[in-house]
Amino acid sequence: MLCALFDHVARPLLIAATLLVGGVVLADPAPVALAPDTAGELQPDPTGSSADRVAAASRVRVVAQSFHSAACLVHAEIMPDAGREALISARREMAHLLDALEHGNPRMGFDGAETRRKTVRKLHDVRAMWEGMRRSVNGLIQDSADSAALAEMALFEGILNETAFQLQTEVSGQYSHPFELLQSDALAIELAARQALWAEQITHSACTTWRTNGDSAALTEAMARLSFGLAALEEGQPALGLAPAPTPQIGAELAALRADWARIELDVARAVSGSATQEELRATFASLSTLSARLQAVAAGYADVARSRT
């Protein structure tokens, strides 16, 4: 019901509002041959690209959140140079991922354009939200003290994350079936990517809490979710249909990540309490950035395993 309401009522309003707020004029997309919403859902994928598409759609969610964590680090002058580089990198990666998912990209493991109407609509939703936020991202890259740009980015955070989540759900549902990608493999890819998402959320919430001396409820929740997710990936979670780590290499990295996270978790708590020095603060956020990158590498490892089974 909620998805139907979004498709028929909220989507046109949100896109229109985005274009007005962001000052963006989008050209009509070039016509492509689109299949019906149900076409291809139970057909074999001749390119074997299902795992790569699910991984790319999951990555869109991480990148969407990374804009906000990097923006806070820039604006709060905690890691202005690294944060600015992260914004530039995320800006480039978002465009790359959306183009690849819509038009195909052989170097990413899928060379065919997306033809399912519903999936293309979700891609266009994310693109519209991102285009609306691009101006404020550019503003912070140019001027770290631009409070108006940071506030404008905050307006897009919830809806960009929601449309990215809907895209991920759509792609996973489309490509996860016995002919293409086992549902258990898709779950593992998504859960691994979600831990990178939580690392970005922790960075954003910790930075915001430190900057504003505000409530840390969102930070506490994100930290708990990361701890649970790392344990579930390493040990398995039968109730979720999730097996333990599929290879010794992935298992070893997950064990190392859990050990590192136990240390970083304490550093984050100290940082937001206000007792950390500026140097310790920068070290903590640098560790979170490295943690996010390693978690994304683990997600890529799960995609490799899934691809080997197709």
Side-chain angles (χ1 to χ4, degrees), residues 116-167:
R116 187 169 181 266
R117 290 181 183 275
K118 195 170 183 181
T119 305
V120 172
R121 284 200 299 269
K122 299 296 184 185
L123 279 163
H124 289 175
D125 288 345
V126 177
R127 192 184 295 277
M129 295 304 111
W130 157 233
E131 290 293 345
M133 195 175 75
R134 183 195 295 270
R135 184 180 66 179
S136 52
V137 170
N138 292 343
L140 271 177
I141 291 172
Q142 296 297 321
D143 178 8
S144 63
D146 191 342
S147 297
L150 185 71
E152 190 171 90
M153 280 186 67
L155 294 176
F156 285 94
E157 181 179 6
I159 190 58
L160 178 60
N161 290 351
E162 175 60 25
T163 51
F165 172 71
Q166 290 190 13
L167 171 64

Side-chain angles (χ1 to χ4, degrees), residues 49-105:
S49 65
S50 301
D52 297 298
R53 288 183 183 273
V54 170
S58 298
R59 179 64 185 161
V60 168
R61 286 191 70 194
V62 180
V63 175
Q65 182 59 54
S66 73
F67 283 114
H68 303 284
S69 54
C72 186
L73 293 177
V74 168
H75 189 68
E77 294 288 329
I78 296 173
M79 296 173 63
D81 293 336
R84 187 175 293 106
E85 287 301 316
L87 283 175
I88 293 170
S89 177
R91 181 179 62 182
R92 180 170 55 246
E93 187 175 6
M94 179 64 85
H96 178 66
L97 287 168
L98 294 178
D99 286 344
L101 283 165
E102 184 170 358
H103 305 296
N105 187 316

Side-chain angles (χ1 to χ4, degrees), residues 69-70 73 198-208 285 288-289:
S69 54
L73 293 177
W198 289 125
E200 294 293 341
Q201 178 65 64
I202 289 166
T203 298
H204 182 216
S205 295
C207 176
T208 302
F285 284 106
L288 283 169
S289 177

Side-chain angles (χ1 to χ4, degrees), residues 177-222:
H177 56 71
F179 289 131
E180 296 182 359
L181 179 67
L182 294 176
Q183 188 174 20
S184 57
D185 283 336
L187 172 64
I189 293 169
E190 292 171 5
L191 185 59
R194 199 174 303 160
Q195 304 322 301
L197 175 70
W198 289 125
E200 294 293 341
Q201 178 65 64
I202 289 166
T203 298
H204 182 216
S205 295
C207 176
T208 302
T209 301
W210 177 85
R211 183 173 64 87
T212 65
N213 197 27
D215 182 26
S216 62
L219 174 61
T220 301
E221 179 184 0

